[in-house]
Amino acid sequence: MTRELVVLGTASQAPTRDRNHNGYLLRWDDLGLLFDPGEGTQRQMLLADVRTSMISHVLITHEHGDHCLGLPGVMQRMVLEQRRDPVVLVHPEAAGPYIDRLLGVGLYDGGPDILRVAVPTDGAVLGLGDGRSLVATPLDHRVPAIGYRVQEPTTTRFVPALLERTGLSGPIVGRLQAEGRVHVDGRVVHLDDVSEQVIGQSMAFVMDTRVCDAAAELLADVDLGVVEATFRLGDEELAARYGHMTADQAGRLAAAAGVRRLVVTHFSQRYPDTAGFGLEAGRHHDDVIAAVDLDRIAVPDRVDAVAGAEA
């Protein structure tokens, strides 16, 4: 199964000669979560070999154009490619009127059903199947905006060597899993005695926000954190005024939150060179990628057990 971030665009307010408006596809096994399709996303999908059949969800953080103007084109592409499976469209409740207008821009005839989820001001938790969840949390921007976190559950698995040591095999193992403990030869074997916990992988998407507690909570201990870094050091006042972060702030935030791999993006057109964003954030975090259009960035391998090594 594939777990990667496909970067369709990295520009903030205005695209540049080298950077398309925002757009990010998270491929997560059977899921394809398209975050913030800005203008030009449909064309970027062609360049990145992304088909609409890969998209299960479209997730909008807020109504600013660089985060949603590509939505009509993506939906029209679904008609062209004869997409039939429903698509889930998630957005802040406050952005509802803007989403209505975007979906009504052109004739949408013969495309898949659109299952809309409007996230209220206090956030929401949505199911993604197989115990996975999508957490949507309000952030601190100039308009109502939300960040997202994809979270797998922590699961329990048996350790064969521990089972062998206790002499357990066959149907009694199933009983142990169902009941949590079994009696064997006059003693009690607990599930914890012969198993270990496997931490579910996680990803957070934190766009257009000032540094805030909600952003830190979304990013806490995630395997992959995609974080806006609109400005550079020296432009902190601009960042605060317009509801954004610098790369330095993004690096500090991710390091404090325990993010394993940090991707910085959403770069202002005032900076022609984006490599400096990675260097700036990298002063605080040792695994930083400054996103480039059409990059494919792997989600780091899972942590195998609660206190174990990587798989």
Side-chain angles (χ1 to χ4, degrees), residues 10-26:
T10 58
S12 58
Q13 185 181 46
T16 71
R17 292 179 183 272
D18 304 309
R19 304 196 294 271
N20 197 74
H21 259 170
N22 272 297
Y24 312 87
L25 178 70
L26 177 68

Side-chain angles (χ1 to χ4, degrees), residues 31 33 48 52 57 63 85 90 102 114 118 123-124 167 175 179 183 206 258 276 287 289 296-297 309:
L31 300 175
L33 285 71
T52 63
H57 296 68
E63 68 235 27
D85 294 333
V90 186
L102 285 170
I114 303 172
R175 275 184 46 211
E179 301 174 11
H183 292 269
V206 174
D287 188 350
I289 297 171
R296 304 181 95 92
I297 301 171

